[in-house]
Amino acid sequence: MELGHVVVLAGGLSYEREVSLRSGRRVVDALRALDVPVELRDADATLLDSLSNDPPDAVLPVLHGAAGEDGSIRDVLELMGVPYVGSRPDACRVAWDKPTAKAVVRQAGLNTPASVALPKEVFHDLGASSVLDHIVRRLGLPLFVKPTRGGSALGGSVVQEATELPAAMVGCFAYGDAALVEQYIPGTEVAVSVIERDGSPHALPAVEIVAPGGRYDYTARYDAGDTEFITPARLTPEAARRATHAAVTAHRALGLRDLSRTDLIIDHTGEAHFLEVNVAPGMTETSLFPRALAAASMDLGTLCRSLLGNAGPNTAP
């Protein structure tokens, strides 16, 4: 498809708004460098009128967090018959909910840390202390606590001692109404991005993340210089193969489309453990997806132009 008018969607009202805007601006710059006519649009009250009055050839959503990754904005684009890049709404909803995504990939044969997902009301109604005691007794220590939905490590924390768990739950509930508490698997943290070529998913080189103090939190993700990224990751050939297999398997099992990024832990035996998947990978200067593209000698703008050019019509049933 010849591209005469492209829209990049960024911003929104989630906790990740600023990161989304940074991603959007970078994608716009990359497309403009290739002379693609593109504009950056926020997901606000003016969006639908804008898309109706001047329909784009295709839309590339780089909205992070709710609405951008839970399928709702894509539902609206389908209602309007606007072609867009990325996974369809139903797949987004499954991937967006971390416990559901874990269940799906486990069924597909992937390893994922043992976990429990509980809403805030359970702790209130049954007694937080008693529930937390049972979690530690069943899952052991250390643990990782994070919201069941959301990204950028917001609300996530490692729990080494049982006494740290209550504070971790409070921090988690500041960003969501339900918590995913899972066994903490020590090892090498990697991100494996997947892109589709002719409808077939292909993994890009794994990016290894070495965060200060071992904590890849929001600051470590988006403050340049705080975290070391190594591409390709320092994995044995067999561990690298397992990481690639896990990312492609997750992409397929969850029914994703065009692009995704899977976060994994590679343990001391070389086994890959699925943590979560992202249907709208970050595109900032410190994000993992563009690093993987560069390691594969691929250009961000060229990939985005190709995905936009192949965006077919999407219509809600």
Side-chain angles (χ1 to χ4, degrees):
M1 176 174 64
E2 185 176 348
L3 298 173
H5 177 209
V6 166
V7 168
V8 172
L9 278 182
L13 295 176
S14 79
Y15 293 115
E16 299 172 76
R17 172 179 171 81
E18 291 306 316
V19 176
S20 174
L21 288 171
R22 285 167 59 183
S23 288
R25 286 192 288 265
R26 188 169 190 206
V27 170
V28 166
D29 289 344
L31 287 169
R32 284 177 177 164
L34 299 177
D35 297 322
V36 176
V38 57
E39 63 173 323
L40 182 67
R41 298 287 313 187
D42 204 335
D44 57 22
T46 68
L47 177 63
L48 300 191
D49 284 344
S50 171
L51 295 179
S52 296
N53 296 332
D54 187 14
D57 297 317
V59 169
L60 200 166
V62 287
L63 293 159
H64 306 321
E69 295 180 68
D70 66 2
S72 55
I73 287 291
R74 297 163 199 243
D75 262 328
V76 173
L77 293 175
E78 294 206 358
L79 288 171
M80 301 180 70
V82 176
Y84 63 87
V85 171
S87 299
R88 298 195 66 183
D90 286 350
C92 289
R93 280 186 274 273
V94 175
W96 170 246
D97 187 78
K98 295 181 178 68
T100 303
K102 282 165 64 76
V104 170
V105 301
R106 186 183 292 113
Q107 188 67 29
L110 297 185
N111 299 314
T112 185
S115 63
V116 60
L118 297 171
K120 186 188 303 183
E121 289 77 15
V122 167
F123 293 89
H124 179 270
D125 295 344
L126 302 184
S129 179
S130 179
V131 174
L132 294 179
D133 287 345
H134 282 284
I135 290 175
V136 173
R137 192 174 301 123
R138 180 62 182 270
L139 297 180
L141 290 166
L143 297 167
F144 195 86
V145 178
K146 57 187 174 184
T148 58
R149 299 176 175 183
S152 295
L154 292 167
S157 59
V158 178
V159 173
Q160 299 287 355
E161 304 291 339
T163 54
E164 300 170 355
L165 190 51
M169 301 302 293
V170 171
C172 174
F173 288 138
Y175 290 95
D177 293 329
L180 176 65
V181 185
E182 61 185 3
Q183 290 178 339
Y184 177 80
I185 307 293
T188 301
E189 185 170 1
V190 300
V192 182
S193 298
V194 171
I195 59 173
E196 290 191 3
R197 295 171 176 165
D198 301 320
S200 179
H202 296 268
L204 299 176
V207 180
E208 179 181 347
I209 303 148
V210 184
R215 296 190 59 184
Y216 190 44
D217 56 15
Y218 183 89
T219 300
R221 286 169 185 250
Y222 300 115
D223 283 0
D226 286 348
T227 300
E228 183 181 5
F229 301 96
I230 301 168
T231 314
R234 296 170 296 184
L235 302 174
T236 66
E238 178 59 19
R241 184 195 68 77
R242 290 173 177 172
T244 292
H245 170 75
V248 171
T249 298
H251 186 93
R252 284 184 170 137
L254 293 163
L256 306 183
R257 188 178 69 172
D258 290 339
L259 73 170
S260 68
R261 193 200 73 229
T262 294
D263 298 337
L264 306 161
I265 291 290
I266 310 301
D267 68 20
H268 69 283
T269 71
E271 286 292 340
H273 300 262
F274 173 92
L275 298 179
E276 58 189 78
V277 68
N278 193 311
V279 301
M283 301 290 181
T284 74
E285 65 280 359
T286 60
S287 293
L288 304 170
F289 187 90
R291 291 177 183 275
L293 278 178
S297 300
M298 298 178 69
D299 175 68
L300 176 62
T302 302
L303 173 67
C304 292
R305 180 178 62 184
S306 175
L307 292 174
L308 286 159
N310 290 323
N314 302 283
T315 56

